[in-house]
Every structure is written in structure tokens, then in C-alpha cells.
Amino acid sequence: MDMDVWKIEREGYEPENTADNGNRFLIGNGSIGVRGTLEEYKKDRMVAVNLAGIYDRAPNQTWREPINAPNGFYATLEGQGNILKHKQSLYFRHGIHSRETVYEQAVLKIERFCSMAEPHILCQRIHVELTGKPAKPMKLICGIDSDVWDINGPHLTDFEATAGEILHVSALTSEMRIPITVKERCNRGQDEILVSGDSVFRVFNVRENFVIERIIAVNGELTPGSYDEKLAEHSAFWDNLWDSSAVKITGDPVAQLSLNYSLYHLHSIAPRHAESRSIPARGLSGQTYKGAVFWDAEIFLMPFFTMTEPSLARKFMMYRIDSISGALSKAAGLGYNGAYFPWESQDGGTEGCTNFNVVDVFTDRPVRTYFRDGQIHISGDIVYALGKYIDWTGDTGILDKGGRDLIKACADFYLSRAHRLVKNDTLEFLDVVGPDEYHERVHNNAFTNRIAAYTLGRAGYDFDVRQPRIRDGIIEQFDGYFDLEDVSLDVIRSRIKHPKEYWGTQNGVAYATQIIKQADVLALMQLFANEYSDEEVRRNWEYYEPRTEHGSSLSACMYALGACRFGRADLAYPLFMKSARSDLDGGGKSWAGNIYIGGTHPAAAGGAYMIATQGFAGLRYNGDELVLNPTLPESIDSLDFPFIFRGKRAYARVSRERSEIRMG
Ligand code: BGC
């Protein structure tokens, strides 16, 4: 039987896998993300109805994080007996989550989705089928559970819970008193209403097989239409998205499923409903990473949206343009000119990154980190993405909408942050943090210097920026990197004293060594691909890869793209699978010191798309024309994908026999 490349399924009731399944079975519509937890789960199992773009700082807490709304999908059976069998599945072609649990006395089937057609609407259908003869009547309890999971909360106060024909819970966020409302209607009258604290539930006595359909509105009004009508609109929306974005792979169904699944995640967290919004590093999978937008959006997600839905890519850019005030005040606060974008950007471009972003597991004390002060590459990453977006789409109009000012402000920031060498009038950047976060406060990180030079160039400034040493064709990641202890990853691992210890900062196990967290020089070589020969990429890959922990899910795709450059699809393929399957396989790094950082990995999903289209198919715009330069892995016979270039629909087809781009 052919494998279903649009569906995942897991058998067995496994509360111990709550964290991974919550990510694996996530559903979302760009406005709301609902973790793939079971309906009967409460906050101790990390249930989250995560809202995009609404942040709160709870009293006495140091950082803001996005809000989890009261859970309107809550449902549980009573009197059903023990679990005999259980299956959870996700039909990700249409973003539909299902569970089927066989109890001694009944089979419970629940289907749910976050409507793509109506971004504030959630839909659920519950089906109970009696199989035994319960001693007492069975009860189905479903409603709005307000006892929500928060990492750094509680964020909601002033609850009001009421029940008439509709269930209604309202609350205010604690800091800015933003109203949050959840309303629910059900197509069948209940036997009883249960109000418990701030939560409100319907209770049904189950005496025969029955089905109920529930429509839930979060921060908006309930809309007419049945479950089936809403499902039809929602599914049609998804089919349209796939028509314009799916990459068809022949020969390798596992690769096909994994890539489909990655693109599913990207689509389900894309802010289609908002004017200027971007995607947080953990998507809509909860509050980890403070719901903040990092460089992940510009460097790892923009390529997918620029190629398949440029109007959305534009929104990402508008988010930065509209939130430039945060970047201007960050720069001014540190004594610089121009725009220094937040490393962890929240609403209005406020900086979410604290000066103490890691807690030491040995002392339980916060450690001073320099991501906020030192990852100055972020401003250049944004300019780079804007430049690429304009080059690809031809949308120069965005320059008049604030794009030009953004580029200039970022260039002004770099000029004021640079040191000028008197002897040859070049600029240097001291005390920075490159993409490899394990080495903080370094000088002249090659990636940072190049992206700063790009920014200055794009603003029309004429300055030389110093590039670091090159030894035997290997670019030194930063000044003095080659002088650090050169040890293997195995040796580093043998030095670890605590499973959750953080490898970076001055006392970290990697700090005095050449072991790096993630692609840094290789990221540079990918972003500025036409400045390096295939042979140079190969040499640097062979040097840096064994020294890379791949401690960030952003790393694998840069190495995969590098390997495709020098014709080694066999090296790229496992890195492709790692990127594409990051949330499917789960088990990624979930702790930085004592802070939970688990959640979904959109950047890895975006990376998988880049590997398929830019790596395996080798699609690139060389300034004059689109070219294909394929490096197909053995298991893949062909790749077919649509994209939009300069407002026109195009299709690329790559196989071992021939490659072509068709316009129109
Ligand atoms: C990585 C950063 C990344 C962030 C969010 C960190 O672990 O080192 O490069 O932006 O996670 O994904």
C-alpha cells in the first residue's frame, strides 16, 4: 500500500510524551496555535491555546511572553472505564487533529481544527459510541477550561465565566489589561452546566451514541455555519495553499511526508490575518522563547514565503518597518545611532532578551549573557532579507513604505558601532556575538562583518569592513578562533557535569575551545554564496562540521546547503531529514540551563524547504536569470515545485534526465 504522505499517527496512550506530542500534533491558523495535547489534559500537560501577537508581563516577573487563552477544546468522559486502545493523528494536508480512544464502555472520537478561513474560530466534533453497559450513566463534560498553562505567568485576571445558550469566559491581561474572550456554542443542549472557578462546562448524560459539534470563537464573535460547512471552507483554503506551495518529490515517500509536514507547520503559523506581523522562533507552540521573533524569520522563513506567497513575506518586512521605534530606542539606549533591532522582538519591536538570559544549573543563579548587546548581525539580517525580497519579487515599492529608512537606520547603527582602523581606514566590529552563540564577546566575527558590510553597501555608503584571517582556505570565525583549544565533540561531551548545563558563556564547556553551537562561517557562505567557490565551501565545511554541535535546529540546513554546493547530496540528505523531521521525531534540546525552550522549530522547517529548492534543485537567481543546478540525493528521482518570481507563477522541475523552469 502506498504511504499516506499527508498524515501522521501514533498508537498508544502516552501522557509521558506530552511535550513532544504537543509539538508534533500542533494545529494552528496563524492567529491561534493549539498544542497537540489531548482534550482531557489540563495545564500540567502543557495545554496551550497560544495567541499570536498578544504579550503580557505578569506581576513581579522579568519578561513578557505571549498569552495562552482559556482552552475551549476541553472535553472528558466520566464512567467510561479503562483505556483499551488509543490513537492520535494529524491529517496535515488540512490541519485536522483527531483522537480515537477505545475505553471499556465507549469509543471516544474527537476531531478538531483551527479554521484557516476564519482566524478566530476553532471547531470540534465529539463522537461517543457506547460499547458496554455502564453501571452508572456516563458523562461527557466539555467546555472552556480557564486554568491555563503559563511559563512565566499567570497572565490573565478579572475572569468572568457565564453560561446561557453560549458559554462565555472573559479575562484581562495583567499588564496592559487587554481583553481576552472565549465563546462557545454547541449544536445540542446539555443536561447540566458546571461552573468551576473561572471555567465553565456543559455536562451531557450519555445514554446512547451521540455526536456534538462545538464552534469556539477566541477574541471575536461566533459566526454562523455548521461544523461541516466550516470544515469545507477550511479544507478548501488548505488545498489552495498546497497548489501554490507543495514540493512534489518522487522516489522517496518518507522525504515527501517530512517536507509536506514542514510546510504544514509554516502555513499553520503564518500571520495571514495581520497587516504587519512575523513568526516567532517557536511558532505558535506555546510561550517558550517568549513568543519572540528572532533572525529565524528573516533568514530561515522568508525564503519559503518570498517564493510561494510574497504578500506574506512583505508582512514580515512590514513588521520590522513598523516596529523600528523599538530598534531606534535600543540603539540609543546603548549609545549608538540608527536602528539596532531586538534580538528577541516582541510587540512593537520591544526587546525581549534580558541581560541574564541563562540560569546556571550549578548555582541556580542568572548568568550575564551578551546576546542582546552583541548579536548585532540582527540588523543586517533584516536588511539582507529585505534586499533579497526586493531582488526576487521586484517590489521596490516597499522602499517607499519605510524600507529605505530602515536600511539607512541599520547602516547608521553599524557606522556608530564600528571601530575605525586608522592605518588602513577599514571598519572593525568588536565585542560581538555571531550566530555561534557559544562564543560571546568576540572580535570581527566573519559573518557579522560581512552582513554589516552588505548593509552599508545597500545604504549606499562606501566603507571597507575588515574580513578575518584565512588559513589554508579556512575562514577564521572570529579573531583568535584558531588559537582556541581544538578538541572533538566527544571530548567536550566527556567534560559535561550536568545534563542541562549550558555550553556557552565564559564558564561554559565550549567557550575556550573551537566547538561551536551552529553554522556560522557556513551560514556566511550560504548567504553570500556567489562570493565563494564550491571548493572553498568544501574546505570550510570539512573543517567546521566536525566542530559543530548542531545545538540549534538552525544549523543543519546551512551545512546541507553547503554540501549541495560541492556535489555531496549524500551528506546533505541526512541533514535535510533532520531539518524536515525536527518536530516529527521530537526529542530536541528542551533546556537552556533551567529554562524550558521546547516547542516547534519553524526555522528548521523553513530550512528543509531551502534545502529541497535551493540545495537539491539548486534554484537561484543570479541577478540576470533563474538557474537550476541540481544535486539530487540517490533516493529522490525528481522534484517539482511552483513558485512566484517577479509576480509571475513559475514551475521548476528537476530530474536526473533534465531540469527546466516553466513560466506561467
Ligand atoms: C539559536 C539562535 C536562534 C534562536 C531561536 C538559539 O538557540 O542559537 O540562532 O535564533 O535559538 O531559534
Side-chain angles (χ1 to χ4, degrees):
M1 201 179 76
D2 282 352
M3 183 174 162
D4 186 345
V5 293
W6 294 105
K7 190 172 179 182
I8 53 166
E9 214 167 73
R10 271 174 94 91
E11 307 247 344
Y13 198 78
E14 40 179 17
E16 70 284 0
N17 277 337
T18 296
D20 274 350
N21 281 340
N23 299 325
R24 187 177 283 133
F25 291 102
L26 183 106
I27 52 173
N29 60 12
S31 167
I32 305 170
V34 178
R35 287 182 65 76
T37 48
L38 299 180
E39 285 75 12
E40 63 274 30
Y41 283 0
K42 309 280 286 183
K43 69 175 180 188
D44 57 330
R45 298 226 175 275
M46 304 157 93
V47 175
V49 178
N50 194 236
L51 301 187
I54 304 180
Y55 296 83
D56 181 69
R57 190 203 315 262
N60 306 322
Q61 295 289 10
T62 45
W63 77 75
R64 279 195 186 84
E65 60 191 14
I67 298 300
N68 285 335
N71 174 23
F73 276 147
Y74 181 81
T76 191
L77 268 182
E78 273 182 14
Q80 75 284 27
N82 292 324
I83 297 170
L84 304 178
K85 244 167 107 177
H86 172 83
K87 189 167 76 185
Q88 184 173 9
S89 49
L90 178 68
Y91 175 53
F92 50 83
R93 184 169 171 90
H94 291 165
I96 301 168
H97 177 279
S98 319
R99 64 90 59 86
E100 184 177 329
T101 313
V102 181
Y103 297 99
E104 284 166 327
Q105 310 287 355
V107 180
L108 173 68
K109 293 185 194 162
I110 307 183
E111 192 179 271
R112 68 187 192 213
F113 62 91
C114 298
S115 170
M116 274 289 194
E118 298 174 280
H120 67 294
I121 295 288
L122 312 177
C123 303
Q124 184 188 49
R125 176 154 51 199
I126 306 179
H127 188 268
V128 185
E129 203 183 298
L130 295 187
T131 52
K133 290 230 172 326
K136 313 187 271 189
M138 204 179 294
K139 284 185 193 301
L140 172 77
I141 303 168
C142 56
I144 307 173
D145 178 18
S146 294
D147 196 16
V148 301
W149 173 49
D150 278 323
I151 293 182
N152 210 24
H155 295 292
L156 300 180
T157 91
D158 297 72
F159 278 95
E160 277 182 39
T162 58
E165 205 161 295
I166 65 164
L167 305 184
H168 185 180
V169 169
S170 66
L172 297 173
T173 62
S174 66
E175 184 188 12
M176 286 181 265
R177 306 193 71 72
I178 302 167
I180 305 292
T181 61
V182 183
K183 296 176 186 168
E184 180 255 25
R185 80 175 144 80
C186 182
N187 67 342
R188 183 172 172 148
Q190 67 282 342
D191 293 295
E192 220 183 296
I193 286 285
L194 184 73
V195 180
S196 156
D198 303 318
S199 305
V200 51
F201 306 99
R202 300 176 194 273
V203 183
F204 296 90
N205 296 324
V206 184
R207 296 191 185 87
E208 55 189 10
N209 297 349
F210 89 144
V211 183
I212 56 169
E213 294 173 0
R214 305 173 62 225
I215 309 294
I216 297 144
V218 181
N219 281 358
E221 292 309 317
L222 285 162
T223 53
S226 66
Y227 181 91
D228 278 331
E229 284 162 350
K230 294 202 180 298
L231 179 62
E233 282 167 15
H234 166 80
S235 305
F237 198 108
W238 270 108
D239 283 334
N240 272 333
L241 288 179
W242 292 119
D243 281 350
S244 55
S245 65
V247 178
K248 187 159 183 284
I249 297 178
T250 59
D252 189 336
V254 179
Q256 176 73 81
L257 176 140
S258 311
L259 186 58
N260 287 346
Y261 179 79
S262 292
L263 304 194
Y264 158 74
H265 269 281
L266 297 176
H267 281 309
S268 48
I269 55 178
R272 296 194 169 80
H273 57 285
E275 278 312 305
S276 79
R277 168 108 22 100
S278 193
I279 294 186
R282 291 289 184 253
L284 297 177
S285 62
Q287 295 164 321
T288 47
Y289 276 38
K290 303 163 193 150
V293 178
F294 291 63
W295 72 314
D296 307 31
E298 278 74 23
I299 303 299
F300 299 82
L301 305 182
M302 275 289 282
F304 171 66
F305 293 108
T306 303
M307 278 175 63
T308 60
E309 208 173 336
S311 58
L312 244 173
R314 191 175 209 267
K315 290 182 183 193
F316 287 27
M317 290 290 96
M318 290 314 293
Y319 165 73
R320 295 298 193 176
I321 289 171
D322 291 346
S323 67
I324 198 166
S325 59
L328 296 173
S329 49
K330 176 173 170 185
L334 292 165
Y336 301 112
N337 297 333
Y340 181 8
F341 276 90
W343 179 239
E344 301 180 1
S345 181
Q346 297 181 322
D347 44 343
T350 48
E351 174 65 275
C353 188
T354 66
N355 281 336
F356 298 88
N357 231 28
V358 167
V359 175
D360 178 43
V361 288
F362 301 107
T363 59
D364 209 22
R365 290 188 188 130
V367 182
R368 178 71 160 102
T369 48
Y370 294 85
F371 313 138
R372 171 190 169 119
D373 325 11
Q375 272 195 82
I376 63 169
H377 66 85
I378 180 68
S379 287
D381 301 333
I382 293 167
V383 172
Y384 178 89
L386 181 59
K388 281 272 162 177
Y389 163 80
I390 294 171
D391 295 346
W392 184 270
T393 61
D395 175 14
T396 49
I398 198 168
L399 289 170
D400 298 329
K401 295 273 181 242
R404 191 173 293 108
D405 295 342
L406 180 143
I407 295 171
K408 180 167 183 312
C410 291
D412 287 342
F413 163 65
Y414 283 126
L415 270 189
S416 67
R417 179 66 163 69
H419 287 68
R420 184 183 293 209
L421 288 177
V422 175
K423 68 173 181 212
N424 55 8
D425 202 23
T426 56
L427 303 183
E428 308 199 292
F429 292 93
L430 309 182
D431 197 2
V432 303
V433 184
D436 159 31
E437 294 180 340
Y438 286 166
H439 295 90
E440 299 185 51
R441 312 203 71 179
V442 300
H443 300 332
N444 293 310
N445 167 254
F447 180 96
T448 305
N449 282 19
R450 183 65 192 90
I451 207 113
Y454 174 88
T455 305
L456 294 167
R458 202 94 198 189
Y461 294 165
D462 186 16
F463 287 96
D464 285 333
V465 178
R466 218 197 90 196
Q467 287 305 313
R469 268 199 291 180
I470 298 184
R471 193 182 71 187
D472 301 332
I474 318 290
I475 298 173
E476 186 172 40
Q477 189 177 293
F478 52 80
D479 287 350
Y481 170 85
F482 288 144
D483 307 327
L484 296 175
E485 188 191 6
D486 195 10
V487 281
S488 70
L489 270 160
D490 284 343
V491 170
I492 286 286
R493 290 208 171 95
S494 73
R495 292 177 185 171
I496 287 176
K497 296 200 165 82
H498 187 295
K500 290 183 191 165
E501 78 178 73
Y502 181 64
W503 290 22
T505 69
Q506 291 195 20
N507 285 331
V509 71
Y511 189 72
T513 76
Q514 292 189 31
I515 295 298
I516 62 173
K517 179 177 181 187
Q518 65 199 84
D520 194 313
V521 168
L522 263 292
L524 161 73
M525 296 186 123
Q526 181 50 34
L527 263 54
F528 297 95
N530 55 5
E531 294 173 14
Y532 302 98
S533 69
D534 298 351
E535 175 57 17
E536 282 169 319
V537 175
R538 185 186 65 77
R539 279 173 166 238
N540 281 272
W541 198 101
E542 285 172 357
Y543 187 83
Y544 281 107
E545 203 285 329
R547 292 169 176 78
T548 305
E549 184 214 2
H550 297 296
S552 160
S553 66
L554 277 53
S555 191
C557 76
M558 291 297 178
Y559 280 97
L561 288 162
C564 289
R565 280 288 301 276
F566 55 95
R568 291 291 304 271
D570 58 319
L571 296 175
Y573 184 77
L575 296 166
F576 164 72
M577 290 302 250
K578 188 172 170 179
S579 299
R581 298 182 63 85
S582 155
D583 296 320
L584 257 183
D585 293 339
K589 232 189 193 184
S590 293
W591 298 93
N594 279 335
I595 297 180
Y596 179 68
I597 54 165
T600 56
H601 299 83
Y609 182 79
M610 286 198 272
I611 302 167
T613 56
Q614 299 172 14
F616 296 157
L619 174 66
R620 162 170 86 80
Y621 173 55
N622 67 11
D624 287 326
E625 52 171 0
L626 291 169
V627 289
L628 288 169
N629 187 10
T631 315
L632 285 180
E634 223 174 70
S635 60
I636 295 182
D637 296 328
S638 68
L639 290 166
D640 265 282
F641 53 94
F643 61 94
I644 296 172
F645 179 71
R646 300 276 164 108
K648 293 205 174 62
R649 161 105 30 235
Y651 299 87
R653 180 174 166 78
V654 169
S655 70
R656 253 170 269 283
E657 293 73 47
R658 71 201 209 110
S659 307
E660 58 169 354
I661 295 174
R662 256 186 320 113
M663 301 302 289

